Amino acid sequence: MGDLVLESVSKTLGSTKVLDNLNLEAKDKEFLVILGPSGCGKTTTLRCIAGLEAVDEGRILMDGKEVNNLRAKDRDVAMVFQNYAIYPTMRIKDNIGFPLKVRHVPKQEIDRQVREVAELLRIENLLDRKPGELSGGERQRVALARALIRKPRFFLMDEPLSNLDAKLRMQARTEIKRLQHELGVTTIFVTHDQAEAMAMADRIAVMDKGVIQQVASPLEIYGLPSDAMVAGFVGSPPMNFLDATITRMSNGAIAAKVGEDAFLSPESEGLKEMEGRDVVIGFRPEDTSFNPTPGSSSHNLTAEVYTVEPMGTFTIVTLKSVSLIKALLPLDTKLSVGDKGAIEVKKDRIRVFDKTSGKRIV
């Protein structure tokens, strides 16, 4: 088993409350990603789980057993840090085998397990080298091997890919996901990179200011964000947001009035009871299109092309309207800076958020 539960965990560092009544569960064999901006409490959460930091309030349970008072070495976890923390004077095989050496495992057994985990991570040809002779990607695999050799119940990873270039990051996240699936070790992976989280996670826990905002599958986090913070943090380019007022149009339809005389129509019966309410509407760039027109049409959200960015597989077009709005358009889109037209958004993809709390209404 490998169930991990945090119940009402709080932690204050200095005068700052880093974790605020945090509740989180990682299920057996799950790959759970904690995603959030720098300083939101992600690393502190991992350090509390590992026993490197004591919690001020709340409980940490591993397989139903409270571990608050267990020292780090007595918790069955292995942690990979952002800087890998590899001993520079040791050969790679000694680095990997070090956790077993301090447990006084016989040398012959250490050698066997080192070879086994090195083959799993495809670094068996590096065992006699020193860390200074390795690339960033190779050092990252060594750090993983040293953690895995302990055969922990829980695997904690603190932004382990952040020091790699873009190509290596993509390769490494594929390898880590494959490895976690094969070994079935409950894994908690911390990152600020939403693409990394979407690609790797079984579930994502989005965190902000010491609080978990939403825990769900990647597709649910993306399509049905719980609030504006989650909606804006997940997605690249991020979601577009516009201030609006829920209004009844002359034909009786309910729509979101944006600016002086522009309307967008979220597809929801629930808006009928919100007439006159100020809200924030959100829609993703890929659900946004732009139709060049000779002039402005009545009630359309008109715009002017601000920038055009070809990205190889699509084009990001920034449109200047009541604010800057991004649209993800086909690569062969023929637009130039200054072109005028109207913005259209898929009705069923418009999300409506409370203007004060940020919570999603629709």
Side-chain angles (χ1 to χ4, degrees), residues 17 27 50 78 90 171 286:
K17 196 160 193 177
K27 301 172 184 177
M90 287 185 182
Q171 292 174 349
E286 62 267 31

Side-chain angles (χ1 to χ4, degrees), residues 102-168:
V102 297
R103 293 181 181 180
H104 306 294
V105 174
K107 185 178 183 306
Q108 187 175 356
E109 178 61 17
I110 293 175
D111 291 342
R112 185 191 69 78
Q113 291 194 39
V114 166
R115 286 195 303 273
E116 185 179 87
V117 75
E119 289 173 4
L120 184 66
L121 286 160
R122 301 166 190 165
I123 54 172
E124 59 269 30
N125 61 320
L126 306 177
L127 294 178
D128 289 319
R129 298 187 192 178
K130 295 283 184 69
E133 302 172 49
L134 306 186
S135 68
E138 289 168 340
R139 287 196 294 272
Q140 183 253 350
R141 290 189 181 199
V142 172
L144 286 173
R146 191 175 61 189
L148 286 172
I149 203 168
R150 297 177 54 187
K151 295 183 172 62
R153 281 186 301 168
F154 303 98
F155 203 11
L156 311 179
M157 309 183 79
D158 186 13
E159 306 217 33
L161 311 183
S162 61
N163 292 328
L164 304 180
D165 62 39
K167 183 178 179 180
L168 276 177

Side-chain angles (χ1 to χ4, degrees), residues 307-327:
T307 60
V308 179
E309 304 169 70
M311 302 300 291
T313 55
F314 53 83
T315 298
I316 300 174
V317 177
T318 302
L319 303 163
K320 188 176 182 180
S321 183
V322 291
S323 67
L324 293 181
I325 295 171
K326 290 193 179 293

Side-chain angles (χ1 to χ4, degrees), residues 62-243:
M62 293 180 175
D63 292 333
K65 178 184 177 183
E66 184 177 320
V67 298
N68 288 41
N69 296 321
L70 280 184
R71 293 174 297 179
K73 70 182 187 68
D74 297 321
R75 303 188 189 192
D76 199 0
V77 303
M79 191 163 177
V80 176
F81 297 92
Q82 184 176 349
N83 61 3
Y84 309 144
I86 301 171
Y87 301 114
T89 59
M90 287 185 182
R91 289 180 298 176
I92 298 307
K93 63 182 178 183
D94 297 323
N95 260 288
I96 296 172
F98 188 75
L100 301 184
K101 183 179 179 180
V102 297
R103 293 181 181 180
H104 306 294
V105 174
K107 185 178 183 306
Q108 187 175 356
E109 178 61 17
I110 293 175
D111 291 342
R112 185 191 69 78
Q113 291 194 39
V114 166
R115 286 195 303 273
E116 185 179 87
V117 75
E119 289 173 4
L120 184 66
L121 286 160
R122 301 166 190 165
I123 54 172
E124 59 269 30
N125 61 320
L126 306 177
L127 294 178
D128 289 319
R129 298 187 192 178
K130 295 283 184 69
E133 302 172 49
L134 306 186
S135 68
E138 289 168 340
R139 287 196 294 272
Q140 183 253 350
R141 290 189 181 199
V142 172
L144 286 173
R146 191 175 61 189
L148 286 172
I149 203 168
R150 297 177 54 187
K151 295 183 172 62
R153 281 186 301 168
F154 303 98
F155 203 11
L156 311 179
M157 309 183 79
D158 186 13
E159 306 217 33
L161 311 183
S162 61
N163 292 328
L164 304 180
D165 62 39
K167 183 178 179 180
L168 276 177
R169 283 176 76 110
M170 189 168 290
Q171 292 174 349
R173 77 188 190 196
T174 300
E175 288 300 313
I176 289 173
K177 188 169 184 177
R178 173 192 66 84
L179 196 63
Q180 191 274 339
H181 179 74
E182 287 182 7
L183 297 175
V185 178
T186 305
T187 299
I188 301 178
F189 186 104
V190 156
T191 183
H192 65 273
D193 186 324
Q194 55 90 23
E196 210 164 80
M198 293 289 291
M200 300 179 77
D202 295 324
R203 288 189 305 151
I204 298 173
V206 182
M207 192 172 188
D208 187 40
K209 298 175 182 176
V211 177
I212 298 294
Q213 302 293 326
Q214 184 177 6
V215 184
S217 69
L219 290 181
E220 185 175 347
I221 290 282
Y222 191 81
L224 293 171
S226 62
D227 57 36
M229 180 272 158
V230 175
F233 193 76
V234 177
S236 182
M239 181 175 277
N240 298 301
F241 293 104
L242 298 175
D243 288 336

